[in-house]
């Protein structure tokens, strides 16, 4: 079964929110401020009107979700206004290591190119080790450190976006 990334459908709100919570739950013991973060994990679908929420599915089963937030959309002040951002990239534990995160990130990069954005940005923390590897492989670089959030350090990453950039490199992906 192939992986398909598509736009979120409003009737999937509860399923997507559950997927995001499940994906992020492993961080609870690593984040002293988990009790502050956990209630915010519904932001992906709560802000669907201000972003392009994407889901990855395989065989009709949701495997991941992310929001692509365009340059003109509301976002935290530490992002440059001309940058679109990646928000709450989430992969179900059963989909990890199978290219789900990369596929979602590839579509965000394609949308940034579509929008002729100079860069795509995101914020992340070193406690998200798998995500760090994904972003590094995709060519994101640290722009600057950010103030701690939820009791852990955060950083702002960006990737310059250009029309000639290759997307969807499948090397090293498992076919789960």
């Amino acid at each position: 079964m192939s992986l398909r990334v598509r736009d979120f459908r409003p009737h999937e709100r509860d399923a997507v929110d559950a997927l995001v919570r499940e994906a992020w739950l492993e961080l609870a013991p690593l984040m002293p401020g988990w009790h502050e973060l956990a209630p915010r994990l519904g932001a992906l679908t709560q802000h669907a009107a201000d972003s392009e929420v994407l889901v990855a599915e395989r065989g009709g089963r949701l495997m991941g979700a992310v929001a692509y937030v365009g340059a003109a959309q509301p976002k935290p002040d530490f992002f440059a206004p001309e940058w679109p951002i990646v928000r709450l990239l989430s992969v179900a534990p059963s989909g990890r290591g199978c290219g789900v995160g990369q596929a979602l990130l590839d579509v965000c990069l394609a949308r940034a190119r579509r929008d002729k954005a100079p860069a795509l940005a995101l914020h992340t923390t070193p406690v998200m080790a798998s995500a760090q590897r994904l972003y590094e492989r995709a060519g994101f670089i640290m722009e600057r450190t950010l103030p701690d959030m939820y009791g852990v350090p955060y950083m702002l990453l960006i990737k310059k976006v250009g029309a000639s950039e290759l997307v969807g490199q499948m090397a090293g992906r498992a076919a789960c």
Side-chain angles (χ1 to χ4, degrees), residues 20-102:
V20 171
R21 281 191 302 276
E22 179 187 23
W24 286 65
L25 189 58
E26 72 179 3
L27 299 174
L30 306 174
M31 299 180 94
W34 176 256
H35 63 283
E36 296 169 36
L37 175 62
R40 297 172 185 235
L41 294 176
L44 192 68
T45 59
Q46 289 169 4
H47 297 290
D50 295 325
S51 62
E52 298 174 42
V53 177
L54 306 165
V55 296
E57 67 178 1
R58 179 174 283 126
R61 182 171 177 214
L62 294 179
M63 304 297 288
V66 67
Y68 170 82
V69 181
Q73 300 303 324
K75 58 179 97 51
D77 291 341
F78 49 80
F79 292 111
E82 67 272 15
W83 294 340
I85 67 168
V86 173
R87 179 179 283 154
L88 283 170
L89 178 63
S90 305
V91 177
S94 63
R96 294 194 182 139
C98 301
V100 175
Q102 184 66 59

Coordinates of all heavy atoms in Angstrom, one line a residue, residues 20-102:
V20 N -2.2 13.2 16.8 CA -1.2 14.1 17.3 C -0.9 13.8 18.7 O 0.3 13.7 19.1 CB -1.7 15.6 17.1 CG1 -0.8 16.6 17.8 CG2 -1.8 15.9 15.6
R21 N -1.9 13.6 19.5 CA -1.6 13.3 21.0 C -0.8 12.0 21.1 O 0.2 11.9 21.9 CB -2.9 13.2 21.7 CG -3.6 14.5 22.1 CD -4.7 14.3 23.1 NE -5.8 13.4 22.6 CZ -6.8 13.8 21.8 NH1 -6.8 15.1 21.4 NH2 -7.7 13.0 21.4
E22 N -1.2 11.0 20.3 CA -0.4 9.7 20.4 C 1.0 9.9 19.9 O 2.0 9.4 20.5 CB -1.1 8.7 19.5 CG -0.4 7.3 19.5 CD -0.9 6.4 18.4 OE1 -1.6 6.8 17.4 OE2 -0.7 5.2 18.6
A23 N 1.2 10.7 18.9 CA 2.6 10.9 18.4 C 3.5 11.7 19.4 O 4.7 11.4 19.5 CB 2.5 11.7 17.1
W24 N 2.9 12.6 20.1 CA 3.7 13.4 21.0 C 3.8 12.9 22.4 O 4.6 13.3 23.2 CB 3.1 14.8 21.0 CG 3.4 15.6 19.8 CD1 2.9 15.4 18.5 CD2 4.2 16.8 19.7 NE1 3.4 16.3 17.7 CE2 4.1 17.2 18.3 CE3 4.9 17.5 20.6 CZ2 4.8 18.3 17.9 CZ3 5.5 18.7 20.2 CH2 5.5 19.0 18.8
L25 N 3.0 11.9 22.7 CA 3.0 11.3 24.1 C 4.3 10.9 24.6 O 4.7 11.0 25.8 CB 2.0 10.2 24.2 CG 1.7 9.7 25.6 CD1 1.2 10.8 26.5 CD2 0.7 8.5 25.5
E26 N 5.2 10.3 23.7 CA 6.5 9.9 24.1 C 7.4 11.0 24.7 O 8.3 10.7 25.4 CB 7.2 9.2 23.0 CG 7.7 10.1 21.9 CD 8.5 9.4 20.8 OE1 8.6 8.2 20.8 OE2 8.9 10.1 19.9
L27 N 7.0 12.2 24.4 CA 7.8 13.4 24.9 C 7.4 13.7 26.4 O 8.2 14.5 27.0 CB 7.6 14.6 24.0 CG 8.1 14.4 22.6 CD1 7.8 15.6 21.7 CD2 9.6 14.0 22.5
A28 N 6.3 13.2 26.9 CA 5.9 13.6 28.2 C 6.9 13.5 29.3 O 7.2 14.4 30.1 CB 4.6 12.8 28.6
P29 N 7.7 12.4 29.4 CA 8.7 12.3 30.4 C 9.9 13.1 30.2 O 10.7 13.4 31.1 CB 9.1 10.8 30.4 CG 8.5 10.2 29.2 CD 7.5 11.1 28.6
L30 N 10.1 13.6 28.9 CA 11.3 14.4 28.6 C 11.0 15.9 28.7 O 12.0 16.7 28.7 CB 11.7 14.1 27.2 CG 11.9 12.7 26.8 CD1 12.2 12.5 25.3 CD2 13.1 12.1 27.7
M31 N 9.8 16.3 28.9 CA 9.4 17.8 28.9 C 8.8 18.1 30.3 O 7.7 17.8 30.5 CB 8.5 18.1 27.8 CG 9.0 17.8 26.4 SD 7.9 18.3 25.1 CE 8.4 19.9 24.8
P32 N 9.6 18.8 31.1 CA 9.0 19.2 32.4 C 7.7 20.0 32.3 O 6.9 19.9 33.2 CB 10.1 20.1 33.0 CG 11.4 19.7 32.3 CD 11.0 19.3 31.0
G33 N 7.5 20.7 31.2 CA 6.3 21.5 31.0 C 5.2 20.8 30.2 O 4.4 21.4 29.6
W34 N 5.2 19.5 30.2 CA 4.3 18.7 29.4 C 2.8 19.1 29.7 O 2.0 19.2 28.8 CB 4.5 17.2 29.7 CG 3.5 16.4 29.0 CD1 2.4 15.7 29.5 CD2 3.4 16.1 27.6 NE1 1.6 15.1 28.5 CE2 2.3 15.3 27.3 CE3 4.2 16.4 26.5 CZ2 1.9 14.8 26.1 CZ3 3.8 16.0 25.2 CH2 2.7 15.2 25.0
H35 N 2.6 19.4 31.0 CA 1.2 19.7 31.4 C 0.7 21.0 30.7 O -0.5 21.2 30.5 CB 1.1 19.8 32.9 CG 1.9 20.9 33.5 ND1 3.3 20.8 33.6 CD2 1.6 22.2 33.9 CE1 3.8 21.9 34.1 NE2 2.8 22.8 34.3
E36 N 1.7 21.9 30.3 CA 1.3 23.1 29.5 C 1.2 22.8 28.0 O 0.3 23.4 27.3 CB 2.4 24.1 29.7 CG 2.6 24.6 31.1 CD 3.8 25.5 31.2 OE1 4.2 26.2 30.3 OE2 4.5 25.4 32.3
L37 N 2.0 21.9 27.5 CA 1.9 21.5 26.1 C 0.7 20.7 25.7 O 0.1 20.9 24.7 CB 3.2 20.8 25.7 CG 3.3 20.3 24.2 CD1 3.2 21.5 23.2 CD2 4.6 19.5 24.0
A38 N 0.5 19.7 26.5 CA -0.6 18.7 26.2 C -1.9 19.3 25.7 O -2.5 18.9 24.7 CB -0.8 17.7 27.3
P39 N -2.4 20.3 26.4 CA -3.7 20.9 26.0 C -3.6 21.6 24.7 O -4.6 21.9 24.0 CB -4.1 21.9 27.1 CG -3.2 21.6 28.3 CD -2.0 20.9 27.7
R40 N -2.4 22.0 24.2 CA -2.2 22.7 23.0 C -2.1 21.8 21.8 O -1.9 22.3 20.6 CB -1.0 23.6 23.1 CG -1.1 24.6 24.2 CD 0.2 25.4 24.4 NE 0.1 26.3 25.5 CZ 0.4 27.6 25.4 NH1 0.8 28.1 24.2 NH2 0.2 28.3 26.4
L41 N -2.1 20.5 22.0 CA -1.8 19.6 20.8 C -3.0 19.6 19.9 O -2.9 19.1 18.8 CB -1.5 18.2 21.3 CG -0.1 18.1 22.1 CD1 0.1 16.7 22.6 CD2 1.0 18.5 21.2
G42 N -4.2 20.1 20.3 CA -5.3 20.2 19.4 C -5.2 21.4 18.4 O -6.1 21.6 17.6
A43 N -4.1 22.2 18.5 CA -4.0 23.4 17.7 C -3.9 23.1 16.2 O -4.3 23.9 15.4 CB -2.7 24.1 18.1
L44 N -3.5 21.9 15.9 CA -3.4 21.6 14.4 C -4.8 21.7 13.8 O -4.9 22.4 12.8 CB -2.9 20.2 14.3 CG -2.4 19.8 12.9 CD1 -1.2 20.5 12.4 CD2 -2.2 18.3 12.8
T45 N -5.8 21.1 14.4 CA -7.1 21.2 13.8 C -7.8 22.5 14.2 O -8.7 23.0 13.4 CB -8.0 20.0 14.1 OG1 -8.1 19.8 15.5 CG2 -7.3 18.7 13.5
Q46 N -7.6 23.0 15.4 CA -8.2 24.2 15.9 C -7.9 25.4 14.9 O -8.7 26.3 14.8 CB -7.8 24.5 17.3 CG -8.4 23.6 18.3 CD -7.8 23.8 19.7 OE1 -6.9 24.7 19.9 NE2 -8.1 22.9 20.6
H47 N -6.7 25.4 14.4 CA -6.3 26.5 13.5 C -6.3 26.1 12.0 O -5.7 26.8 11.2 CB -4.8 26.9 13.9 CG -4.7 27.5 15.3 ND1 -5.3 28.7 15.6 CD2 -4.2 26.9 16.4 CE1 -5.1 28.9 16.9 NE2 -4.4 27.8 17.4
A48 N -7.1 25.2 11.7 CA -7.2 24.7 10.3 C -7.7 25.8 9.4 O -7.3 25.8 8.2 CB -8.2 23.5 10.2
A49 N -8.5 26.8 9.8 CA -8.9 27.9 9.0 C -7.8 28.8 8.6 O -7.9 29.5 7.6 CB -10.0 28.6 9.7
D50 N -6.7 28.8 9.4 CA -5.6 29.7 9.2 C -4.3 28.9 8.6 O -3.2 29.5 8.7 CB -5.1 30.4 10.5 CG -6.2 31.3 11.0 OD1 -6.9 31.9 10.1 OD2 -6.4 31.4 12.2
S51 N -4.5 27.7 8.2 CA -3.4 26.9 7.7 C -3.9 25.9 6.7 O -5.1 25.8 6.5 CB -2.7 26.3 8.8 OG -3.5 25.4 9.5
E52 N -3.0 25.1 6.1 CA -3.3 24.0 5.3 C -2.9 22.8 6.0 O -1.8 22.4 6.1 CB -2.6 24.1 3.9 CG -2.9 25.4 3.1 CD -2.1 25.5 1.9 OE1 -1.8 24.5 1.2 OE2 -1.6 26.7 1.7
V53 N -3.9 22.1 6.6 CA -3.6 20.9 7.4 C -3.6 19.7 6.4 O -4.5 19.5 5.6 CB -4.7 20.7 8.5 CG1 -4.4 19.4 9.2 CG2 -4.7 21.8 9.5
L54 N -2.5 19.0 6.5 CA -2.3 17.8 5.7 C -2.3 16.5 6.5 O -1.8 16.6 7.6 CB -0.9 17.9 5.0 CG -0.7 19.2 4.2 CD1 0.7 19.4 3.8 CD2 -1.6 19.2 2.9
V55 N -2.7 15.5 5.9 CA -2.7 14.1 6.5 C -2.0 13.2 5.6 O -2.1 13.3 4.4 CB -4.0 13.6 7.0 CG1 -4.7 14.5 8.0 CG2 -5.0 13.4 5.8
A56 N -1.3 12.2 6.2 CA -0.7 11.1 5.4 C -1.5 9.9 5.8 O -1.8 9.6 7.0 CB 0.8 10.9 5.8
E57 N -1.9 9.1 4.7 CA -2.6 7.9 5.0 C -2.1 6.8 4.2 O -1.6 7.0 3.1 CB -4.1 8.1 4.8 CG -4.5 8.3 3.3 CD -6.0 8.5 3.1 OE1 -6.8 8.4 4.1 OE2 -6.4 8.7 1.9
R58 N -2.2 5.6 4.7 CA -1.9 4.4 4.0 C -3.0 3.4 4.2 O -3.4 3.1 5.4 CB -0.6 3.8 4.6 CG -0.1 2.5 3.9 CD 1.2 2.0 4.3 NE 2.3 2.8 3.6 CZ 3.2 3.5 4.3 NH1 3.3 3.5 5.6 NH2 4.1 4.2 3.6
G59 N -3.6 2.9 3.1 CA -4.7 1.9 3.2 C -5.8 2.5 4.0 O -6.5 1.7 4.7
G60 N -6.1 3.8 3.9 CA -7.2 4.4 4.6 C -7.0 4.7 6.0 O -7.9 5.2 6.7
R61 N -5.8 4.4 6.5 CA -5.4 4.7 7.9 C -4.6 5.9 8.0 O -3.5 6.0 7.3 CB -4.7 3.5 8.5 CG -4.4 3.6 9.9 CD -3.9 2.3 10.5 NE -3.5 2.6 11.9 CZ -2.5 2.0 12.5 NH1 -1.8 1.1 11.9 NH2 -2.2 2.3 13.8
L62 N -4.9 6.8 8.9 CA -4.1 8.0 9.1 C -2.8 7.6 9.8 O -2.8 7.0 10.8 CB -4.9 9.0 10.0 CG -6.1 9.7 9.4 CD1 -6.8 10.6 10.3 CD2 -5.8 10.4 8.1
M63 N -1.7 8.1 9.2 CA -0.4 7.8 9.7 C 0.4 9.0 10.2 O 1.3 8.9 10.9 CB 0.5 7.1 8.6 CG -0.2 5.9 8.0 SD -0.4 4.6 9.2 CE 1.3 4.0 9.4
G64 N -0.1 10.2 9.8 CA 0.6 11.4 10.2 C -0.2 12.7 9.8 O -1.1 12.6 9.0
A65 N 0.2 13.8 10.3 CA -0.4 15.1 10.1 C 0.6 16.2 10.3 O 1.5 16.1 11.0 CB -1.6 15.2 11.0
V66 N 0.3 17.3 9.6 CA 1.1 18.5 9.8 C 0.3 19.7 9.3 O -0.7 19.5 8.5 CB 2.4 18.4 9.0 CG1 2.1 18.4 7.5 CG2 3.4 19.5 9.3
A67 N 0.6 20.9 9.7 CA 0.0 22.1 9.2 C 1.1 22.9 8.4 O 2.2 23.1 9.0 CB -0.6 23.0 10.3
Y68 N 0.8 23.3 7.2 CA 1.6 24.3 6.5 C 0.9 25.6 6.7 O -0.3 25.8 6.3 CB 1.6 23.9 5.0 CG 2.2 25.0 4.1 CD1 3.6 25.1 4.0 CD2 1.4 25.9 3.4 CE1 4.2 26.1 3.2 CE2 2.0 26.9 2.7 CZ 3.4 27.0 2.6 OH 3.9 28.0 1.8
V69 N 1.6 26.5 7.4 CA 1.0 27.9 7.7 C 1.7 28.9 6.8 O 2.9 29.1 6.8 CB 1.3 28.2 9.2 CG1 0.7 29.6 9.5 CG2 0.7 27.1 10.1
G70 N 0.9 29.4 5.9 CA 1.5 30.4 4.9 C 2.0 31.6 5.5 O 1.7 32.0 6.6
A71 N 2.8 32.4 4.7 CA 3.4 33.6 5.1 C 2.5 34.6 5.7 O 2.8 35.3 6.7 CB 4.2 34.2 4.0
A72 N 1.3 34.7 5.1 CA 0.3 35.8 5.5 C -0.5 35.3 6.7 O -1.3 36.1 7.2 CB -0.6 36.1 4.4
Q73 N -0.3 34.1 7.2 CA -1.1 33.6 8.3 C -0.6 33.9 9.7 O 0.7 34.1 9.8 CB -1.3 32.1 8.1 CG -2.0 31.7 6.8 CD -3.3 32.3 6.6 OE1 -4.1 32.5 7.5 NE2 -3.6 32.7 5.4
P74 N -1.4 33.9 10.7 CA -0.9 34.1 12.1 C 0.1 33.1 12.5 O -0.1 31.9 12.3 CB -2.2 34.1 12.9 CG -3.3 34.2 12.0 CD -2.8 33.7 10.7
K75 N 1.2 33.5 13.2 CA 2.2 32.6 13.7 C 3.0 33.3 14.8 O 2.9 34.5 14.9 CB 3.1 32.1 12.6 CG 3.8 33.1 11.8 CD 4.7 32.5 10.7 CE 4.2 32.5 9.3 NZ 3.6 33.5 8.6
P76 N 3.7 32.6 15.6 CA 4.5 33.2 16.6 C 5.5 34.3 16.0 O 5.9 34.2 14.9 CB 5.3 32.1 17.3 CG 4.4 30.9 17.0 CD 3.8 31.1 15.6
D77 N 5.7 35.3 16.8 CA 6.5 36.5 16.4 C 8.0 36.1 16.1 O 8.6 36.9 15.4 CB 6.5 37.6 17.5 CG 5.2 38.2 17.6 OD1 4.4 38.1 16.6 OD2 4.9 38.9 18.6
F78 N 8.5 35.0 16.5 CA 9.9 34.7 16.3 C 10.1 34.2 14.8 O 11.2 34.1 14.4 CB 10.5 33.7 17.3 CG 9.7 32.5 17.5 CD1 9.7 31.4 16.7 CD2 8.9 32.4 18.7 CE1 9.0 30.2 16.9 CE2 8.2 31.2 19.0 CZ 8.2 30.2 18.1
F79 N 9.0 34.0 14.1 CA 9.2 33.6 12.7 C 9.1 34.9 11.8 O 8.3 35.8 12.1 CB 8.0 32.7 12.2 CG 8.1 31.3 12.8 CD1 7.1 30.9 13.7 CD2 9.0 30.4 12.4 CE1 7.2 29.7 14.3 CE2 9.1 29.2 13.0 CZ 8.1 28.8 13.9
A80 N 9.9 35.0 10.8 CA 9.9 36.2 9.9 C 8.5 36.1 9.2 O 8.0 35.1 8.8 CB 11.0 36.1 8.9
P81 N 7.9 37.3 9.0 CA 6.5 37.3 8.4 C 6.5 36.7 7.0 O 5.4 36.2 6.6 CB 6.1 38.8 8.4 CG 7.3 39.5 8.9 CD 8.4 38.6 9.4
E82 N 7.6 36.7 6.3 CA 7.5 36.2 4.9 C 7.8 34.7 4.8 O 7.7 34.1 3.7 CB 8.6 37.0 4.0 CG 10.0 36.7 4.4 CD 10.6 37.6 5.5 OE1 9.8 38.3 6.1 OE2 11.8 37.6 5.6
W83 N 8.0 34.1 6.0 CA 8.3 32.6 6.0 C 7.0 31.9 6.2 O 6.3 32.1 7.2 CB 9.2 32.2 7.1 CG 10.6 32.7 6.9 CD1 11.3 33.1 5.8 CD2 11.6 32.8 8.0 NE1 12.6 33.5 6.1 CE2 12.8 33.3 7.5 CE3 11.5 32.5 9.4 CZ2 13.9 33.5 8.3 CZ3 12.6 32.7 10.1 CH2 13.8 33.2 9.6
P84 N 6.7 30.9 5.4 CA 5.7 29.9 5.8 C 6.3 29.0 6.9 O 7.6 28.9 6.9 CB 5.3 29.2 4.5 CG 6.5 29.4 3.6 CD 7.1 30.6 4.1
I85 N 5.5 28.3 7.6 CA 6.1 27.4 8.7 C 5.4 26.1 8.7 O 4.3 25.9 8.2 CB 6.0 28.1 10.1 CG1 4.5 28.2 10.6 CG2 6.6 29.4 10.1 CD1 4.3 28.5 12.0
V86 N 6.1 25.1 9.2 CA 5.7 23.8 9.5 C 5.2 23.8 10.9 O 6.0 24.1 11.8 CB 6.8 22.7 9.3 CG1 6.4 21.4 9.7 CG2 7.3 22.8 7.9
R87 N 4.0 23.3 11.2 CA 3.4 23.3 12.6 C 3.0 21.9 12.9 O 2.3 21.2 12.2 CB 2.3 24.2 12.7 CG 1.6 24.2 14.1 CD 0.5 25.2 14.2 NE 1.0 26.5 14.4 CZ 0.3 27.6 14.0 NH1 -0.9 27.5 13.5 NH2 0.9 28.8 14.2
L88 N 3.5 21.4 14.1 CA 3.1 20.2 14.7 C 3.2 19.0 13.8 O 2.3 18.1 13.7 CB 1.6 20.3 15.2 CG 1.5 21.0 16.6 CD1 0.0 21.3 16.9 CD2 2.1 20.3 17.7
L89 N 4.3 18.8 13.1 CA 4.5 17.6 12.3 C 4.4 16.4 13.3 O 5.2 16.3 14.3 CB 5.9 17.6 11.7 CG 6.3 16.4 10.8 CD1 5.4 16.2 9.7 CD2 7.7 16.5 10.3
S90 N 3.5 15.5 13.0 CA 3.2 14.4 13.9 C 3.1 13.1 13.1 O 2.4 13.0 12.1 CB 1.9 14.6 14.6 OG 1.9 15.9 15.3
V91 N 3.8 12.1 13.6 CA 3.7 10.7 12.9 C 3.3 9.7 14.0 O 3.9 9.6 15.0 CB 5.1 10.4 12.3 CG1 5.0 9.0 11.7 CG2 5.5 11.4 11.2
A92 N 2.3 8.9 13.6 CA 1.8 7.9 14.5 C 3.0 6.9 14.8 O 3.8 6.6 13.9 CB 0.7 7.1 13.9
P93 N 3.1 6.4 16.0 CA 4.2 5.5 16.3 C 4.3 4.3 15.3 O 5.4 3.9 14.9 CB 3.9 4.9 17.7 CG 3.2 6.1 18.3 CD 2.4 6.7 17.2
S94 N 3.2 3.8 14.8 CA 3.2 2.7 13.8 C 3.7 3.2 12.4 O 4.0 2.3 11.6 CB 1.7 2.2 13.7 OG 0.9 3.2 13.2
G95 N 3.8 4.5 12.2 CA 4.3 4.9 10.9 C 5.7 5.4 10.9 O 6.2 5.9 9.9
R96 N 6.3 5.4 12.0 CA 7.7 5.9 12.1 C 8.7 5.0 11.4 O 8.6 3.8 11.4 CB 8.1 6.1 13.6 CG 7.2 7.1 14.2 CD 7.7 7.6 15.6 NE 6.8 8.6 16.1 CZ 6.4 8.6 17.3 NH1 6.9 7.8 18.2 NH2 5.5 9.5 17.7
G97 N 9.7 5.7 10.8 CA 10.7 5.0 10.0 C 10.2 4.5 8.6 O 10.9 3.7 8.0
C98 N 9.0 4.9 8.2 CA 8.4 4.5 7.0 C 8.3 5.6 6.0 O 7.5 5.5 5.0 CB 7.0 3.9 7.2 SG 7.1 2.5 8.4
G99 N 8.9 6.8 6.2 CA 8.8 7.9 5.3 C 7.6 8.8 5.4 O 7.4 9.7 4.6
V100 N 6.8 8.6 6.5 CA 5.7 9.4 6.7 C 6.0 10.9 7.0 O 5.5 11.8 6.3 CB 4.8 8.9 7.8 CG1 3.6 9.8 8.1 CG2 4.3 7.5 7.5
G101 N 6.9 11.1 7.9 CA 7.4 12.5 8.2 C 8.0 13.1 7.0 O 7.7 14.3 6.7
Q102 N 8.8 12.4 6.3 CA 9.5 13.0 5.1 C 8.4 13.4 4.0 O 8.5 14.4 3.4 CB 10.5 12.0 4.5 CG 11.3 12.6 3.3 CD 12.2 13.7 3.7 OE1 13.0 13.5 4.5 NE2 12.0 14.9 3.1

